[in-house]
Amino acid sequence: ESLEACAEFLCITLSDSDSNKLFTKATLAPRLVDALFALLPSTCMECNDHYTVDHEPDPAPFFTCYRCFQGSHSCEPMKEKHEALSAIPLPTGIPAEMATLR
């Protein structure tokens, strides 16, 4: 129960639209660790600046890694990369949630 409270605080979705649980305790614990690590300082691979992403950033990072959940830096090179990728037409059949670039 306390793991679920932590997940809610970190904005981790715990159930799908049909109220089916997405995590067991064994899978939620490492996901929580990943979410906490994503809040720690990082170095931008594009400009080498050190940065952190806020818990609830506004605006959202241009990119979020779906493996480690780290958000990207909002430097000019990342902005240019985001704009270039956003301009590429996507093939049909890709679910909207998979096609969204932040």
Side-chain angles (χ1 to χ4, degrees):
E1 193 170 288
S2 60
L3 288 179
E4 290 179 353
C6 291
E8 288 175 5
F9 175 76
L10 292 169
C11 303
I12 297 171
T13 304
L14 294 172
S15 60
D16 64 14
S17 59
D18 295 327
S19 298
N20 298 314
K21 286 189 173 188
L22 299 175
F23 295 97
T24 63
K25 285 185 181 182
T27 59
L28 183 56
R31 174 61 182 90
L32 289 170
V33 171
D34 289 341
L36 292 171
F37 271 105
L39 298 174
L40 296 176
S42 189
T43 302
C44 178
M45 294 175 65
E46 297 294 323
C47 70
N48 292 320
D49 278 352
H50 296 287
Y51 72 98
T52 57
V53 176
D54 293 334
H55 169 58
E56 293 180 355
D58 185 28
F62 292 125
F63 304 100
T64 300
C65 177
Y66 286 95
R67 184 168 171 224
C68 71
F69 307 100
Q70 176 75 40
S72 68
H73 189 214
S74 57
C75 62
E76 193 59 32
M78 289 304 286
K79 179 181 177 186
E80 291 170 4
K81 187 180 283 189
H82 177 260
E83 289 170 354
L85 290 171
S86 295
I88 297 172
L90 296 172
T92 60
I94 295 178
E97 61 273 6
M98 297 294 291
T100 303
L101 292 177
R102 291 185 191 178

